[in-house]
Amino acid sequence: MILVTGATGSIGRHLVRRLRQQDIPFRAFVRDPGRGRELDCELAVGDFDDPDSIAAALSGVERVFLCSPGAGPGSQPMVAQQTRVIDAAVRAGVGRVVKVSVWGARPGGLLAEGAHAEIEARLEASGLDWSIVQPSGFMQNFLTGAGTFTDGGDLLGAYGSAGVSYIDCADIAACADVLLRGDLGSRQRFVLTGPEALTHTEIAARLSAALGRTISYIDRPPADFAADLVAQGVPARFAADVAALYAEVAGGALAGITSAVRDLTGRPATTFAEFLARERDLLRQWPTGVTGDARAR
Ligand SMILES: NC(=O)c1ccc[n+]([C@@H]2O[C@H](COP(=O)([O-])OP(=O)(O)OC[C@H]3O[C@@H](n4cnc5c(N)ncnc54)[C@H](OP(=O)(O)O)[C@@H]3O)[C@@H](O)[C@H]2O)c1
């Protein structure tokens, strides 16, 4: 039995579909039974903040997919929440935990990078078997509004001319599927990237082609972003961290390409053009007037 946390999320819903199609025994940990029903699978209703519900969900479980939302301004619940799951997994006699982390996770790293490193260390020390996937930025950020847009729907960022090897969450789910079902990947980390590093000008061109209208990429200095966030009421420390993350990416931190998706799944990672073609329906709801923050992750 596999427990899928974050089952209604960008990665989780792809993983649920895959496991269902293969008739693999699993249950989805969801906090909203209404949303959970759409997954069409066995549910364990609970919350990362409710230890009893985690313990109940883990009954009879051999492997766990561990994924929860990243950092927000002012709060960082991920460390406590995921640690709670890891501790409960030890008590429940779980075999392996497959954790979604982030590329660049390191002790003292900014926002999600530091938080994930803390959880990774906890998992390593737990005595459980584990596999950790460290994805690049998600292609899905451009659908959900987690990417940053101007009021007119143009793409806004501080990435300069650096490439980013965005990955499709369906590919992350495919890798997790392999790691949850077999013996591959014990006590290993996998940096998961897309097959190409695109600049945001190139991404804007692909979005333009997919939408049939011109989307431009507007590049701004990271410090200007931080100032805007502060003006919107975001704590100065968080805004400064976001700006520093932008600067890291502008320096090429997410420009590398790995073969991990192909190595684990036996097929190449999805290109941005393939992703946009698959998500045609969602793209029709393309955000105009959305402002968000992709780098908070
Ligand atoms: N975005 C990026 O570019 C990027 C890149 C690398 C790594 N990451 C990492 O990816 C992770 C996010 O993955 P994702 O995008 O698949 O997540 P997501 O789409 O934000 O979904 C989060 C999931 O967690 C569930 N959840 C939230 N709070 C919960 C709670 N208190 N108890 C139980 N379930 C709860 C949500 O359920 P509901 O349906 O009830 O809300 C949802 O299923 C983060 O750890 C982030 O650091 C992100």
Side-chain angles (χ1 to χ4, degrees):
M1 174 63 76
I2 293 170
L3 182 70
V4 178
T5 67
T8 53
S10 312
I11 304 168
R13 55 182 58 247
H14 286 284
L15 179 60
V16 161
R17 194 174 310 129
R18 294 186 71 91
L19 295 174
R20 215 179 43 214
Q21 282 166 357
Q22 298 168 97
D23 271 335
I24 307 288
F26 75 97
R27 72 175 69 108
F29 184 67
V30 295
R31 55 182 171 170
D32 175 352
R35 292 196 71 187
R37 261 193 298 280
E38 293 166 21
L39 300 173
D40 191 21
C41 66
E42 183 181 334
L43 300 179
V45 178
D47 195 294
F48 289 130
D49 292 321
D50 174 359
D52 290 344
S53 72
I54 298 172
L58 285 169
S59 167
V61 164
E62 287 121 28
R63 293 195 170 187
V64 174
F65 174 72
L66 182 54
C67 183
S68 71
S75 75
Q76 179 56 276
M78 184 167 65
V79 175
Q81 292 180 338
Q82 295 200 12
T83 298
R84 226 171 264 139
V85 177
I86 291 166
D87 292 346
V90 172
R91 286 192 294 273
V94 164
R96 176 182 292 188
V97 171
V98 176
K99 170 178 160 49
V100 176
S101 177
V102 67
W103 191 10
R106 58 188 182 282
L110 297 170
L111 301 176
E113 294 175 340
H116 279 300
E118 207 176 322
I119 303 161
E120 287 190 17
R122 189 68 179 236
L123 183 54
E124 271 192 276
S126 69
L128 294 163
D129 187 20
W130 53 267
S131 303
I132 292 170
V133 293
Q134 298 180 324
S136 183
F138 295 173
M139 291 180 184
Q140 273 74 2
N141 293 349
F142 295 95
L143 297 180
T144 59
T148 309
F149 306 92
T150 65
D151 287 346
D154 284 327
L155 201 51
L156 196 59
Y159 306 103
S161 55
V164 177
S165 53
Y166 284 103
I167 182 164
D168 180 5
C169 287
D171 288 342
I172 304 173
C175 292
D177 177 12
V178 171
L179 297 167
L180 285 164
R181 284 187 300 103
D183 293 330
L184 214 65
S186 172
R187 305 185 75 81
Q188 284 181 51
R189 288 178 172 79
F190 299 89
V191 173
L192 304 182
T193 74
E196 56 196 344
L198 299 174
T199 66
H200 284 71
T201 302
E202 290 168 328
I203 288 170
R206 280 163 175 72
L207 286 167
S208 302
L211 289 162
R213 71 179 175 82
T214 303
I215 307 283
S216 303
Y217 171 58
I218 299 161
D219 194 64
R220 300 182 65 215
D224 288 6
F225 262 102
D228 285 355
L229 289 174
V230 171
Q232 290 161 23
V234 170
R237 174 68 199 273
F238 183 82
D241 285 354
V242 169
L245 281 170
Y246 268 121
E248 276 182 17
V249 179
L254 298 182
I257 294 164
T258 70
S259 61
V261 170
R262 185 192 287 273
D263 297 344
L264 284 170
T265 67
R267 55 159 196 77
T270 307
T271 64
F272 204 80
E274 288 166 343
F275 163 75
L276 291 177
R278 193 190 69 217
E279 300 294 353
R280 213 174 295 119
D281 289 347
L282 277 176
L283 264 184
R284 292 207 186 94
Q285 301 159 29
W286 173 258
T288 53
V290 172
T291 52
D293 163 28
R295 294 296 305 153
R297 288 185 303 180

